[in-house]
Amino acid sequence: MSKAETRAGKIAKDQLQSIIERIERLLEEKKAIADDVAAVYAEAKGNGYDTKALKAIVRMRAQDPNERAEFETILETYMQALGML
Amino acid sequence: MSKAETRAGKIAKDQLQSIIERIERLLEEKKAIADDVAAVYAEAKGNGYDTKALKAIVRMRAQDPNERAEFETILETYMQALGML
Amino acid sequence: MSKAETRAGKIAKDQLQSIIERIERLLEEKKAIADDVAAVYAEAKGNGYDTKALKAIVRMRAQDPNERAEFETILETYMQALGML
Amino acid sequence: MSKAETRAGKIAKDQLQSIIERIERLLEEKKAIADDVAAVYAEAKGNGYDTKALKAIVRMRAQDPNERAEFETILETYMQALGML
């Protein structure tokens, strides 16, 4: 390899290393937050809350209220028709 | 390799090949059924049904009715407390 | 409700019931096949095979061979650059 | 409701509200980091990197090196036996 080629390879190598390390740092931070979420749910469970229902609440609040209302209406129509209500 | 070793290798190879092929056949069947499910949902959508609500119905019917009723009660208590109802 | 309305409602109700039951039957068949796949892996494990490696084999065989070869080449270039080989 | 009951209900309501809001804040942070990860991959792709291979590298580096080496050996044995190498 010529000096120029070695240098080009070196730059690419450093760039690749930097990309991978940035991703790894971000994934570590993401993991730490996911652990925090799990800890809040565990604490809530310890205080008598139902974590499945808490998760359902969080999901519902993330939805558009109008879309959720429309969905609930359709769902109830189907449940009525099927004798589930 | 001795003849015995060759033979042992042959048997293991055939066994491995057979395992992989059995799994592949089953996965093909599973994929065909998943395609059928998707086709039923697509047909229902074409007939004006809301597929998201249909999926919710299927999920609910797969649950234990008592557990589902209990869960709904807890969920409503939380929604009430949070002013979501 | 008029007789006509009752009848229209009855047809819709039957159609909805039929859709849900077709999906439930298909999902049962799909579950049975998924159980069969799990049983083959469990049997293979009992015969000394590494199930994680078997799954990797199945995944690889489902890929296009040329695309897989190309991917492996890129992967090795990166691993080389990062001193992983 | 007595004053005491109202107060107990108020505390529970505040606690529930607080749990949900803590989770929502954490999920927002988690989403922001996931977006950052996606942005690094998008930038890398723009610089000519193969994102699928980058993801494979990240996964491999997260594994225990000895376990990974052992897995690769088993995988190659199977691939050899199946005529994939």
Side-chain angles (χ1 to χ4, degrees), chain C residues 1-18:
Chain C
M1 254 192 283
S2 73
K3 242 186 194 170
E5 278 176 322
T6 311
R7 194 161 170 189
K10 180 83 177 59
I11 290 166
K13 196 195 132 132
D14 288 354
Q15 193 183 37
L16 180 56
Q17 184 90 31
S18 150

Side-chain angles (χ1 to χ4, degrees), chain D residues 2-4 6-8 11 14-15 18 21 26 37 44 50 54-55 58 60 65 67 69 71 75 81-85:
Chain D
S2 71
K3 241 187 196 172
T6 312
R7 194 160 171 192
I11 289 166
D14 289 352
Q15 193 183 39
S18 151
E21 286 172 5
L26 289 167
V37 172
D50 182 299
L54 292 178
K55 282 173 191 176
V58 169
M60 277 191 274
E67 278 179 31
F71 173 74
L75 190 60
L82 295 163
M84 293 169 75
L85 283 183

Side-chain angles (χ1 to χ4, degrees), chain A residues 67-81, chain B residues 48-54 57, chain C residues 16:
Chain A
E67 278 179 30
R68 183 162 75 81
E70 205 187 325
F71 174 74
E72 292 295 336
T73 304
I74 297 170
L75 191 58
E76 274 172 36
T77 312
Y78 291 179
M79 289 174 79
Q80 194 88 52
Chain B
Y49 289 96
D50 182 300
T51 50
K52 209 180 137 202
L54 292 176
I57 294 283
Chain C
L16 180 56

Side-chain angles (χ1 to χ4, degrees), chain C residues 53-85:
Chain C
L54 291 177
K55 281 172 191 178
I57 294 282
V58 169
R59 256 200 317 278
M60 277 191 273
R61 282 166 54 119
Q63 288 167 2
D64 175 86
N66 291 328
E67 277 179 31
R68 182 162 74 80
E70 205 187 324
F71 173 74
E72 293 294 336
T73 304
I74 295 170
L75 190 60
E76 273 172 38
T77 311
Y78 292 180
M79 290 174 78
Q80 194 87 52
L82 295 164
M84 294 169 74
L85 283 183

Side-chain angles (χ1 to χ4, degrees), chain C residues 2-60:
Chain C
S2 73
K3 242 186 194 170
E5 278 176 322
T6 311
R7 194 161 170 189
K10 180 83 177 59
I11 290 166
K13 196 195 132 132
D14 288 354
Q15 193 183 37
L16 180 56
Q17 184 90 31
S18 150
I19 290 164
I20 295 294
E21 285 173 5
R22 279 164 70 199
I23 293 168
E24 286 177 342
R25 259 194 309 276
L26 288 168
L27 293 183
E28 267 170 45
E29 287 177 41
K30 192 157 151 266
K31 173 74 170 60
I33 294 176
D35 289 347
D36 287 349
V37 172
V40 176
Y41 278 121
E43 186 195 319
K45 195 179 177 175
N47 287 328
Y49 288 96
D50 181 299
T51 51
K52 206 179 140 204
L54 291 177
K55 281 172 191 178
I57 294 282
V58 169
R59 256 200 317 278
M60 277 191 273

Side-chain angles (χ1 to χ4, degrees), chain A:
Chain A
M1 258 194 282
S2 73
K3 241 185 194 172
E5 278 175 321
T6 311
R7 193 160 171 190
K10 181 78 176 59
I11 290 166
K13 196 195 132 136
D14 288 352
Q15 193 184 37
L16 179 57
Q17 184 91 29
S18 151
I19 291 165
I20 296 294
E21 285 172 5
R22 279 165 68 198
I23 294 168
E24 286 176 342
R25 259 194 309 275
L26 289 167
L27 293 183
E28 267 169 45
E29 289 177 38
K30 192 157 153 265
K31 173 76 171 57
I33 295 177
D35 290 346
D36 287 348
V37 172
V40 176
Y41 278 121
E43 187 195 318
K45 196 180 177 177
N47 286 328
Y49 289 96
D50 181 300
T51 51
K52 207 179 141 203
L54 292 177
K55 281 172 192 179
I57 294 282
V58 169
R59 256 200 316 278
M60 278 191 274
R61 284 166 54 116
Q63 287 168 3
D64 174 84
N66 291 327
E67 278 179 30
R68 183 162 75 81
E70 205 187 325
F71 174 74
E72 292 295 336
T73 304
I74 297 170
L75 191 58
E76 274 172 36
T77 312
Y78 291 179
M79 289 174 79
Q80 194 88 52
L82 295 164
M84 293 169 75
L85 283 183

